[in-house]
Amino acid sequence: SSLKNGTFNPTLETKALLDETSFQTSGNRIQIYDFVTSGGATTKHVDDKIGPELNSNSPLHTPGYTWPFVNGPHQWCPGEHKFFGWLAQDANMTASNTPEAFFGSGFGFDEATHVLTIPQVTFTKDTPQFDFMYSDIFTTEPINTPVPLEFKHLFSAFYITGENKQDDTEYDITSITLSGLNNTQSAKIDFATGDAPVVTYTDNTGSPGEFFFDFSGTDTTLSKEDGQKTLTGTYLMWPQKREYFTDAKLTLNYNYGGVAAPAKEIDLSSMAAWEPGQVKKLNLVFNVDQITFIIEELVAWNDNEKNIPVQM
């Protein structure tokens, strides 16, 4: 094909733990690769990052919408171009805000195999909330229209709410322990073929995870007028297969009528899988002296597509 000159001018729309506003933060970066196949050989053409506050001399650049390259502009060259990438820096965080800092020294991309290695990480309540995202694969010859890259989330997430359906009765939540989750895993993301990377999660050896929430000094009193009351923040977690919940449970401590009630232990072995890109709301419901546990899946992070149209 003929060579079409121009520059990359990416744009991004997203929502998640990194929502549309926080993703536009100055200093956020996305790693972009472009590998070109021509004459039977494949070579790396672009290895660069894009950011929302960077400027470009291109007439197609719209501040606050397009994300120029750090070391751009880059030119098209003849051949078949394969684009993909991942979140390289979350400027909303003060520490562990890059994959290298969050995952450790084992994080790395093999340019020969196009495989990204995600080393073992253990999630706890205190783990930094680095919402790692990776793109699909877009293959094209040089074109004069945007190159769209759609991003997905590597992790799932959860939070806990409480709901009191009884009149003239209040419950004061004192602590919650969520235990038995498979919180130690690793992954590989293979960008070698097709239009979607192949993600493989590995169950690593480790003690089952425990999230302990102590509500001392916090207003966690539930009354009927409150409706559903959020009790915890949102916490990242590795995706959980159905079988991972075999020994999972939630232990609830609360006061009723100003007196500590017996601890309530809820078996979670029947819980459905937690898929990547999903936030699970774990809602505790108090009703006629019974406490039930309802798992509600929130809107998936991926409902609004996170696209990066790359204009060459």
Side-chain angles (χ1 to χ4, degrees), residues 38 53 81 96 114 157 204 216 231 233 243 275 280 290:
S38 181
E53 84 285 5
H81 293 249
S96 300
H114 294 187
N204 294 106
S216 301
L231 301 176
E243 58 266 28
E275 301 294 340
K280 296 290 186 179
Q290 291 185 347

Coordinates of all heavy atoms in Angstrom, one line a residue, residues 38 53 81 96 114 157 204 216 231 233 243 275 280 290:
S38 N 5.9 -6.3 7.3 CA 6.0 -6.0 5.9 C 7.1 -6.9 5.3 O 8.1 -7.1 5.9 CB 6.5 -4.5 5.8 OG 6.7 -4.1 4.4
E53 N -2.8 15.8 29.0 CA -2.4 17.2 29.1 C -1.3 17.6 28.1 O -1.0 18.7 28.0 CB -2.0 17.5 30.5 CG -0.5 17.2 30.8 CD -0.2 15.7 31.0 OE1 -1.1 14.9 30.8 OE2 1.0 15.4 31.4
H81 N 0.0 -2.6 10.4 CA 0.3 -2.1 11.7 C -0.6 -2.8 12.8 O -1.8 -2.9 12.6 CB 0.0 -0.6 11.8 CG 1.0 0.2 11.0 ND1 2.0 1.0 11.5 CD2 1.1 0.3 9.6 CE1 2.6 1.6 10.6 NE2 2.2 1.2 9.4
S96 N 2.8 3.7 44.1 CA 2.4 2.5 43.4 C 1.5 2.8 42.2 O 0.6 2.1 41.9 CB 1.8 1.4 44.3 OG 2.7 1.1 45.3
H114 N 5.2 -11.0 22.3 CA 4.1 -10.1 22.6 C 3.3 -10.5 23.8 O 2.0 -10.3 23.8 CB 3.2 -10.0 21.3 CG 3.9 -9.3 20.2 ND1 3.2 -9.0 19.0 CD2 5.2 -8.9 20.0 CE1 4.0 -8.5 18.1 NE2 5.2 -8.4 18.7
A157 N -14.0 -6.1 41.5 CA -14.0 -5.3 42.7 C -15.3 -5.6 43.5 O -16.2 -6.2 42.9 CB -13.9 -3.8 42.3
N204 N -2.2 -18.7 42.5 CA -0.9 -18.9 43.2 C -1.1 -19.4 44.7 O -2.2 -19.3 45.2 CB -0.2 -17.6 43.2 CG 0.2 -17.2 41.8 OD1 -0.3 -16.3 41.3 ND2 1.2 -17.9 41.2
S216 N -15.4 1.0 64.4 CA -15.3 1.9 65.6 C -15.2 3.3 65.2 O -14.3 3.7 64.4 CB -14.1 1.4 66.5 OG -14.2 0.1 66.8
L231 N -21.2 0.7 53.5 CA -20.4 0.5 54.7 C -18.9 0.5 54.5 O -18.2 0.8 55.4 CB -20.8 -0.9 55.3 CG -22.3 -1.0 55.7 CD1 -22.6 -2.4 56.2 CD2 -22.7 0.0 56.8
G233 N -15.5 1.1 51.4 CA -15.1 1.6 50.2 C -15.1 0.4 49.1 O -15.5 -0.7 49.4
E243 N -15.6 -21.9 42.1 CA -15.1 -22.9 43.1 C -14.2 -22.2 44.1 O -13.9 -22.8 45.2 CB -14.3 -24.0 42.4 CG -13.1 -23.5 41.5 CD -13.5 -23.4 40.1 OE1 -14.7 -23.1 39.8 OE2 -12.6 -23.5 39.2
E275 N -16.4 -11.7 37.7 CA -15.7 -11.6 36.4 C -14.9 -10.3 36.4 O -15.1 -9.4 37.1 CB -16.8 -11.6 35.3 CG -17.7 -12.8 35.2 CD -16.9 -14.0 34.9 OE1 -15.8 -13.9 34.3 OE2 -17.5 -15.1 35.1
K280 N -19.0 -6.0 42.4 CA -20.0 -6.7 43.2 C -20.4 -5.9 44.4 O -19.5 -5.5 45.2 CB -19.5 -8.1 43.6 CG -19.2 -9.0 42.4 CD -20.5 -9.5 41.7 CE -20.1 -10.5 40.7 NZ -21.3 -11.0 40.0
Q290 N -34.0 -11.7 60.9 CA -33.2 -12.5 60.0 C -32.2 -11.6 59.3 O -32.6 -10.4 58.9 CB -34.1 -13.3 59.0 CG -34.9 -14.4 59.6 CD -35.6 -15.2 58.6 OE1 -35.7 -14.8 57.4 NE2 -36.2 -16.3 59.0

